[in-house]
Amino acid sequence: MLMHPQFDPVAIRIGPLAVHWYGLMYLAGFAMFVWLGRRRLRHEPYRTLGWQPRDVEDILFWGVLGVILGGRLGYVLFYKPLTYLAEPWRVFAVWEGGMSFHGGLLGVLLAMAWWARRQQRPWLQVMDFVAPCVPVGLALGRIGNFINGELWGRPAPPDLPWAMVFPAAGPLPRHPSQLYQFALEGLLLFVLLWAFARRPRRVGEVSAAFLTGYGVMRFAAEYFREPDAHLGLLSLGLSMGQWLSLPMVVAGVALWLWARRTPVAL
């Protein structure tokens, strides 16, 4: 049985300025998106369609806005609607924490739809470009969760070699679910998706693979992650994260079937 190292959440202190590890993970995720996006420009069809490095930077800017706004609103609507309905001004209290991946995904979809229309490019072509560059950022985010000792797992058997005690969660050994999600939704999804996207694919196939892959992996990881204390397990013994992942899987399968009907692979 292991003990969580209890990292200092502040990575760097310069006078009154405190830079948190979680913020550094976000910055590292943005940097990796730019690096991977520029490599993605070498893949078809982007290499022959005139995509430029500045497109990667534009997508990152609007994507970050989508993540922040969508992630915050998603948390408010999916996880604590009654709390924020009673105190709506707290929606803007982002320093209190509270972000939702699924809300952030919806925010990115809308932001990319706006950018695609502005650039007169097919929306699914843009999403196919973005999808393989995302999992590394998700992996870094889970490392930030682990450093902060938050979003810990459910109680684990004491003889599980990697079971870990998170002091903030009490004395019980738990699954380090942040690391499970780091490995599944982050590294494994990235490797599979990047390898898949390197070859020409029909429009929508890469996006479909991301939706299905993330949805399945998140659904599985949630069995080891402690449900939100104020929600617990919902209908059929599933967590909110699992219920929100199911539409992703359905949408991914539907998009895949639609994309496979396209006669010509780009």
Side-chain angles (χ1 to χ4, degrees):
M1 191 167 59
L2 306 174
M3 290 291 296
H4 183 264
Q6 292 291 279
F7 298 100
D8 185 344
V10 177
I12 304 171
R13 295 182 188 273
I14 304 176
L17 178 65
V19 180
H20 290 248
W21 282 109
Y22 200 72
L24 290 179
M25 293 299 104
Y26 265 95
L27 291 177
F30 299 154
M32 286 299 299
F33 182 91
V34 172
W35 185 72
L36 290 171
R38 290 181 176 177
R39 293 179 64 86
R40 184 94 171 99
L41 292 174
R42 305 173 191 174
H43 299 167
E44 295 294 348
Y46 308 101
R47 184 175 63 177
T48 56
L49 289 179
W51 281 58
Q52 301 295 324
R54 67 173 179 272
D55 294 326
V56 179
E57 297 162 7
D58 287 347
I59 286 174
L60 175 63
F61 174 78
W62 293 109
V64 168
L65 287 182
V67 166
I68 294 174
L69 296 177
R72 183 60 175 171
L73 289 176
Y75 180 79
V76 169
L77 296 175
F78 299 150
Y79 290 90
K80 291 188 175 182
L82 297 180
T83 299
Y84 289 99
L85 183 62
E87 302 176 298
W89 57 88
R90 289 182 57 195
V91 171
F92 305 100
V94 294
W95 55 87
E96 295 179 355
M99 296 285 283
S100 163
F101 164 80
H102 298 90
L105 173 63
L106 293 175
V108 170
L109 292 176
L110 292 174
M112 293 302 98
W114 183 88
W115 187 82
R117 181 173 181 178
R118 185 181 180 187
Q119 299 296 320
Q120 297 184 337
R121 288 180 175 147
W123 176 56
L124 280 177
Q125 182 188 95
V126 175
M127 295 311 304
D128 286 347
F129 178 87
V130 170
C133 305
V134 171
V136 171
L138 301 179
L140 290 167
R142 295 309 177 192
I143 291 296
N145 294 145
F146 181 76
I147 289 174
N148 286 347
E150 61 190 6
L151 304 184
W152 48 73
R154 303 186 191 189
D159 58 348
L160 186 69
W162 55 86
M164 184 171 291
V165 173
F166 293 85
L172 293 177
R174 295 178 176 273
H175 290 280
S177 58
Q178 312 98 322
L179 301 184
Y180 297 176
Q181 293 186 262
F182 161 80
L184 288 174
E185 306 157 14
L187 295 187
L188 179 59
L189 183 59
F190 167 72
V191 170
L192 295 176
L193 207 58
W194 191 264
F196 179 74
R198 285 177 62 87
R199 295 186 178 183
R201 302 293 177 184
R202 293 177 173 86
V203 172
E205 283 187 326
V206 177
S207 298
F210 173 83
L211 289 172
T212 306
Y214 180 90
V216 169
M217 293 179 185
R218 175 66 181 270
F219 189 93
E222 284 282 331
Y223 279 114
F224 302 95
R225 176 173 163 173
E226 182 73 12
D228 295 88
H230 63 286
L231 292 177
L233 295 177
L234 306 177
S235 299
L236 303 180
L238 302 180
S239 67
M240 176 61 81
Q242 288 173 314
W243 278 113
L244 292 174
S245 295
L246 286 175
M248 288 186 66
V249 176
V250 172
V253 172
L255 180 57
W256 177 268
L257 294 175
W258 175 85
R260 296 299 295 178
R261 295 174 62 183
T262 305
V264 180
L266 296 179

